[in-house]
Amino acid sequence: MFNFFRKKQEAKLFYHTDVHCHLLPGVDHGAQTVEESLELIAREKAMGIDRIMFTSHVTENTFENTPETLKQGFDMLKAAVEEKGIELDMHYSAEYRLDEYWIKQRDEGRLVALPGNYILLENSYQQELLMLDDIMFDIQLKGYRPILAHPERYPYYAMRHDRYRTLHNAGVKFQINLLSLAGYYGVGPKQTAEWLIDNDFCDFLGSDMHGERHAVVIEDYITTKEWRKIAKKLDGRLLNDKI
């Protein structure tokens, strides 16, 4: 249950576009109902977000979404947002897991890109995909602009910071999760996220919000001195509002 009476110090983000969240109702393990989506959108709005890219999972065997299922969820939510009179710039795409299902969707020309032809891609958490460099190169040849979702969360990069440099220098943008900076996934991802920021490898921040628990963590984190220091480093460098 949502705690509508929870009081907390209000804080605003310095940017206005969330490029990564799971708030389309019922299409993955994020928001499940329109009502839940609307509540989470209200939480984002309170943090200063007025433009949201809905990036639902597209993953083999678990969330085999298609352009049609994504559009259906988006249209349903958009109608509810308009009915409530909520001012929100809305776009939908996906967080594509680099797997066989993604390859099939790509080969059939059925990828849904973000504005600017950006495409959000998720690596495996177990090991780096074979031929990743070639895949990223091929994506760019096809006119897409790849964004690697939450690179700080892939443990096999923790002691291989050279891979970050190689990928970033090859044109792959990086999107870091606010939840990682808040310590939600543990010390390792938090430290790696901070290293990426200190070395100018952070192009986008995203909430990766799935539900109320994530909203509470982010709301608490952006009231801290730690966040204010991070925000000062990133202000003027993020591409969120330019996408």
Side-chain angles (χ1 to χ4, degrees):
M1 294 291 293
F2 289 114
N3 185 352
F4 293 101
F5 303 100
R6 177 184 173 89
K7 293 183 179 180
K8 56 170 70 260
Q9 180 183 347
E10 184 175 303
K12 301 282 188 181
L13 296 165
F14 66 89
Y15 56 91
H16 304 283
T17 304
D18 188 358
V19 301
H20 184 180
C21 68
H22 298 267
L23 304 188
L24 286 190
V27 298
D28 62 12
H29 61 169
Q32 294 303 300
T33 65
V34 170
E35 291 73 20
E36 185 180 0
S37 297
L38 291 174
E39 165 61 15
L40 293 169
I41 287 170
R43 305 283 278 266
E44 291 239 44
K45 290 272 289 182
M47 288 185 270
I49 295 295
D50 54 28
R51 185 168 178 249
I52 297 179
M53 310 291 162
F54 297 92
T55 53
S56 306
H57 285 292
V58 176
T59 310
E60 188 174 30
N61 297 326
T62 52
F63 304 112
E64 293 190 347
N65 281 303
T66 65
E68 292 77 23
T69 61
L70 296 174
K71 186 177 188 302
Q72 182 179 21
F74 178 80
D75 288 346
M76 181 169 55
L77 181 57
K78 191 172 189 293
V81 166
E82 290 174 351
E83 182 181 353
K84 294 289 185 181
I86 300 169
E87 293 186 10
L88 183 68
D89 187 2
M90 301 172 61
H91 302 267
Y92 75 96
S93 178
E95 179 184 11
Y96 289 100
R97 174 69 63 87
L98 290 169
D99 56 24
E100 292 296 326
Y101 184 70
W102 174 80
I103 291 172
K104 182 175 183 291
Q105 295 282 295
R106 180 201 64 186
D107 291 348
E108 293 176 355
R110 290 173 58 76
L111 301 181
V112 181
L114 293 162
N117 233 27
Y118 284 102
I119 187 160
L120 186 67
L121 301 170
E122 180 183 38
N123 223 337
S124 165
Y125 289 102
Q126 278 69 50
Q127 62 182 28
E128 184 180 59
L129 188 70
L130 293 175
M131 307 293 288
L132 179 65
D133 300 83
D134 292 339
I135 289 170
M136 292 299 188
F137 180 71
D138 181 68
I139 290 168
Q140 292 176 77
L141 284 181
K142 288 179 168 58
Y144 294 108
R145 305 163 78 180
I147 303 171
L148 184 61
H150 42 66
E152 73 281 0
R153 295 187 62 195
Y154 308 121
Y156 42 82
Y157 289 148
M159 301 302 294
R160 299 180 60 208
H161 287 175
D162 59 304
R163 284 299 290 147
Y164 290 128
R165 291 189 176 91
T166 299
L167 289 168
H168 202 261
N169 289 342
V172 180
K173 301 299 185 184
F174 291 166
Q175 174 264 305
I176 289 174
N177 282 0
L178 281 169
L179 291 165
S180 297
L181 291 168
Y184 182 80
Y185 307 110
V187 174
K190 176 180 174 65
Q191 290 178 340
T192 301
E194 291 169 349
W195 183 90
L196 289 166
I197 290 170
D198 288 342
N199 286 271
D200 203 19
F201 291 144
C202 177
D203 303 293
F204 299 93
L205 286 179
S207 71
D208 202 1
M209 190 183 295
H210 288 63
E212 189 205 12
R213 182 171 60 172
H214 289 169
V216 170
V217 171
I218 294 169
E219 287 165 348
D220 287 341
Y221 174 66
I222 65 174
T223 67
T224 65
K225 289 182 179 179
E226 181 181 328
W227 162 246
R228 288 193 289 274
K229 290 179 181 177
I230 293 289
K232 187 174 181 180
K233 292 179 182 179
L234 288 175
D235 196 4
R237 289 165 50 186
L238 283 187
L239 300 177
N240 285 52
D241 295 334
K242 298 178 182 179
I243 196 170

